[in-house]
Amino acid sequence: MKYIRSRMIEFRDRMDPLLKELNLRARTQTNEHGVEVYFVARDRKRDPLMSHSSVSILFEDKDSTGLREAAWTNACLQIEQHEPRALGNTGWAHRRWWESIPVFLPTNPDEMWPLIEKNFREQPFITMEERPMEVESYELADAFFAAERSVEGLNVEREVTELGSIESLMFHDESGRDVRLEFPAHGYGRVFVGGEQVGEFDQYHEERIASMARALQRCNDYATTFLRK
């Protein structure tokens, strides 16, 4: 990309030995915040899932700066927060990109380059392979975090079916019946009470799911207002 070409030449002159040592190569993408340079494993065949450094460089775009070329004074490091977070005391966790924390660069090059190197060496490398006891469904994880304070005994299960694995939130209602909220990969979620399906729900509204779960646990007819029959 022409806009950042000069800056990337400078970066490679300084950092190429480090990138080779860490087995990283640079890639570029444009997003709503500017031009981002991120770093993935050099060997694509050995790492088709595109594991990557949690460090990227974000340059403000030319519309924001009014400059013909990107400048280090209009750049920062972005440190991706991409770690597993526990789903209560269930033993399960969920991993995703949660946020990126900016690290602003010193204007003095003698301070800037060591800071960049320090972050590349110290910030974690993010591997993308699946792990046991890690929930894949973003919607289930969001619903868990929304419901965990008000639904007692909330747990997670994964079942392998002919249609693939299905992850569910599980708990007991006040009558002792099993309640299962299934989160399939696509479409509506399904609600089972005592082994019988009682309806479906929209997976993408975690606060509504949490309210539904509270009502289901209390055997409250209010739960039906959230269900599709």
Side-chain angles (χ1 to χ4, degrees):
M1 184 176 291
K2 185 176 180 180
Y3 177 64
I4 64 168
R5 183 179 300 161
S6 295
R7 302 294 78 76
M8 291 310 298
I9 290 172
E10 294 172 353
F11 181 86
R12 290 190 180 95
D13 286 345
R14 293 274 188 160
M15 293 294 165
D16 201 49
L18 176 66
L19 295 184
K20 288 180 179 178
E21 177 187 336
L22 299 178
N23 193 34
L24 295 174
R25 58 188 171 91
R27 301 195 70 178
T28 304
Q29 65 180 5
T30 301
N31 58 40
E32 60 182 333
H33 302 294
V35 181
E36 183 180 19
V37 184
Y38 62 102
F39 300 85
V40 300
R42 282 178 179 259
D43 192 336
R44 302 183 194 186
K45 293 181 180 179
R46 292 182 60 184
D47 188 16
L49 295 175
M50 300 294 283
S51 300
H52 58 281
S53 171
S54 56
V55 181
S56 63
I57 305 171
L58 180 66
F59 293 93
E60 290 185 52
D61 61 29
K62 62 175 64 178
D63 290 338
S64 299
T65 65
L67 301 174
R68 296 179 61 183
E69 289 188 343
W72 291 111
T73 51
N74 297 109
C76 69
L77 301 183
Q78 294 272 24
I79 311 301
E80 182 179 346
Q81 307 300 293
H82 192 295
E83 73 279 350
R85 296 188 179 179
L87 300 182
N89 297 317
T90 64
W92 291 83
H94 177 64
R95 179 189 299 268
R96 71 165 81 159
W97 173 86
W98 302 97
E99 62 179 335
S100 290
I101 298 175
V103 175
F104 296 98
L105 298 174
T107 56
N108 184 341
D110 292 337
E111 298 176 2
M112 182 185 75
W113 294 112
L115 177 68
I116 293 174
E117 179 173 350
K118 174 181 172 67
N119 276 276
F120 270 101
R121 290 191 180 280
E122 295 183 357
Q123 298 295 341
F125 186 76
I126 297 167
T127 55
M128 305 302 290
E129 73 272 10
E130 295 181 8
R131 297 171 175 82
M133 301 297 285
E134 281 194 7
V135 166
E136 297 176 18
S137 170
Y138 283 35
E139 293 73 35
L140 184 152
D142 289 341
F144 184 98
F145 292 134
E148 63 178 327
R149 294 182 180 178
S150 57
V151 177
E152 296 179 0
L154 195 58
N155 206 346
V156 177
E157 289 189 1
R158 178 184 290 150
E159 180 183 10
V160 179
T161 72
E162 294 179 353
L163 301 176
S165 64
I166 295 179
E167 298 170 336
S168 302
L169 291 181
M170 303 285 296
F171 53 92
H172 294 96
D173 68 13
E174 291 180 346
S175 297
R177 297 174 299 181
D178 291 333
V179 180
R180 183 169 82 252
L181 311 184
E182 285 188 352
F183 290 76
H186 305 286
Y188 284 92
R190 301 194 298 171
V191 180
F192 294 82
V193 178
E196 296 185 8
Q197 184 175 346
V198 298
E200 298 180 331
F201 62 94
D202 188 337
Q203 295 192 54
Y204 305 103
H205 297 279
E206 62 270 18
E207 294 298 338
R208 285 179 58 83
I209 296 170
S211 296
M212 179 183 70
R214 288 193 293 270
L216 286 166
Q217 186 164 68
R218 292 158 178 75
C219 304
N220 191 324
D221 289 341
Y222 175 60
T224 60
T225 63
F226 299 97
L227 295 174
R228 298 175 73 254
K229 299 295 186 182

